[in-house]
Amino acid sequence: MRQIPFLTFLMLAAACSSPARQIAGDTGKLDVTIELDSDGSARISEHLRLSAKKPGSARLSRNIHVAPISLLAVQEVRDLSLSDSRGRSLPLRTRAYGEWFNADLGSVDPDADLTLRYTIYPFFPDRQGFRWVAVGLFWHLTLTETTVRLIDNGRSPYSGLAAKMNYTDCTTCRFKPAEDGFTLTVGAAVQAGSTLELTGRRDRPAPAPDMLLPVVRQNGPYLAWFVLMLIGSLAALFLGARGRNRMIRVLNWALLIPIALILFHATRYWLHELPLRPGELDSMIGEFLWNPAVLALVAAFIGFQNRSLARWEKKSWYLQHGVFLISLAVLPVPTTGAWFVPLGALVPLLFWSRRSTSAWFGAGLFEVAEHVRSVGETTLDEASERFRVPPEHLAFLLSRERHASLVFDPRAGKLLSVENARLLENVQVCPHCGGADLVTHGAGHAACGFCGREYVSSFAQAVAERPVPILIEAVASFFGFLAGVLGAFGLLIGAVFLVIGISAGEGPGEASILALFTMAVFALLTWRTAVFSRDLREGTGLGKLRFWLILGAPAILPLVLLSRLSSRRILLHFGRLDPRELEAELGKGPMDLPTLARWMRTNPADAADAVAYLCGNHLIDAVYDRRQARVAHLDLYRSLAARDACCLRCGGTLGILDGVVRCQFCGALPEGGTT
C-alpha cells in the first residue's frame, strides 16, 4: 500500500538564548478533528490548551507537512485561521518551503486556549492510503493528552490502522471504530522530542483529486515565466541571426528570475525560523550561504556565456547547450517550482540549434574554406551570398579565425586558397619567360600573363595537431568551467564548516581541521576535473565520460551525448577505432565528404579534419582530394597516374612549393622521396 504523508504537527521552541523560547516543563493538551468532505478535502480543527511555566514562554510554530500529489504540486492548505477561546482571530504568519507549510503563531499566553482551523486538499492523494505524523520536534513541549478524531461523512470503513511512537509500535495507543470513522487515543504522554505516527487505509476509494488546478495555483509565477520564455523562443524563429543572438542573451538573463525567486523563498523560510530550534544552526547557515552561492554560480556562467555570445565566439554556440546543465543546480531545492527552471532553459534550443544560427558563429567556415580551395579564389561578396552570411560579418569571422585554410585579403575583398597564395609568393616571375604578370585561376593554378605557362602549387602538409571533434571540445570546455566551480565551492563549503564548527562549540582547532580537509578534497576534485578536461581533448577518458553521462542520465541531455559517443568519429578520436577500418572502406571506392560524414556519424567539418589528419600524416594509405572534396585509397590514384606528369606514389598532381617540386596530395618528391 502506498503510504501518503498527510499531516505533521510541530510545536517548536527556539534554542537560542531568547526570552521567547519554551522551557522544560511546558505541557499541552491536543484534540484534533478531521472531517472529510465529498470532494476529497479534509476540514481540520486542532484545539490546543497550553500550560507553560511563565508568561511569554510559549512561542509556537505549526508545521504542516504536505505530501506530493504529482511532480509539480503538493497538497494544498486552504482557509487557515487561528482563534482563541473567545472566538477572536489571532495573527498568523505563513511560509512555505517544499513539503512544509508553516503557520507561525508567535508568542501566546502561558495558559492559552487556541484553535487552528484549515483545509487540506486532497486528503488522500492516492485516493486510499493516508499517514498522519506528529514529528519529534516538540522539544520542551510535552503533550499530556492527545486525541485524533476522524469523521468520514461517506461512512467508509478503514483497515490497516496502526500507530507508532518513535517508529516502534505504540502499546498505549487505542483505536475506537465508529460508523463514520474512528478515534485514536494516546494512553500516555507524548514526551518532548517524540514522534507519533498514524497510518491507515480507506477501503472505499475517495474521489479522484484535481491535478491541474493545484499545479497552476502553486506554480503561477513559474508558469508565467515559462510561457514568456516559450513566446520569446518562438518569436526568435522569425528573427535574423543578430536578433537571435540578442534574444538568447535576454533569455539567459531571464533564467535568473525563477532561480532568485526559489532561493528567496528558501532563505526566507529559515530567516523566520529565528530564534532557532536546537540542532538547526548548521541548516540555517548552510541555507544562507548555499543559496547565494547557487545564484552566483548560474549568474557567473550566464555572464561568461553572454559575453562570448556578444563577441560571436564559436565556442559560445556549443556552450549554450550547457546552460541547461547549469540550471540543474537549483533542483536540490525542495520546491515544485524548481522543475520549471531546466524546462525553461531547454526552450531556447528550439531556435538556437538551427544551422543558419551556427554559421554566424563560424561553425560553417569549413565549408567556406573548402569552397575557396576548390575554386582557388573568390570574392567576399560571392562567398557571402553563397553561405548566407553578410559580407561584413563574414569578414569579421575570417579576420579572427586562425585555423581556416584560406587567405583573406580585406583590402581587395578576396578569399584565396592557401595554395594560390603560396604560388603568388613563391613564383614572382615566370621561370619560362621572365614575365612578372602572374595571374591565378582555379585551385592552386597560376598562369603567366605573357607566355601562358601554367604552374601549380602544393598544399600537402602533415597535420601536426590532432583535431578534436566539436562535440568533445564542447564537453571538455564544460568540464573546464566545472573545475573552476568546484574550486570556488570548495572554498565556500570549507568556510561554512568552519563557522558551523565554531558555533557548535567544537573549538577553532577542530573546526579549522574540518574546513581544511574539506577544501583539500575539493581541491583534489578541481585538479582531477581539469585533468579530465585535458584528457578528453587528448583522446583519453572515454570510459570515465560515459560513466558521468550515465550518472547524469535523468537530465536527458547526457543521454543524447551518450548516444553520440558511439559514432566512429568519436571512437577514432579516443583510439577505439582502428584507422585501417576506414582504409578498408575506402578500398571499396572513393567517398565524398557527405558520405564520409555519414559513415563516421558526424558533420562534414569533423570528417574533413579527421581525414586530413590521417592522410596528411600517412596513418592510412589514402588521399584527401580537396578539389573534389573526396577521399580515395592510394591504389585508386596509382591506377589513374600518368608516370610522366603525376606522383608515382599516389597519382596526385605535382606542384611547386618553395622552389621544390612535390606532390600536392602526399608531399612525395618525383624521385620517390617524401617530405
Side-chain angles (χ1 to χ4, degrees), residues 651-671:
T653 306
L654 298 179
I656 182 171
L657 176 63
D658 297 328
V660 179
V661 177
R662 308 176 189 275
C663 173
Q664 63 174 337
F665 291 109
C666 68
L669 302 175
E671 293 79 9

Side-chain angles (χ1 to χ4, degrees), residues 528 532 535-536 541-549 576:
R528 289 305 307 168
F532 180 55
D535 290 345
L536 290 177
L542 178 60
K544 295 179 182 178
L545 179 58
R546 284 174 171 167
F547 171 77
W548 290 115
L549 291 179
R576 303 295 181 89

Side-chain angles (χ1 to χ4, degrees), residues 282 496-515:
D282 54 347
V496 170
F497 284 177
L498 179 64
V499 174
I500 292 176
I502 295 176
S503 302
E506 296 179 359
E510 294 183 8
S512 299
I513 292 175
L514 178 60

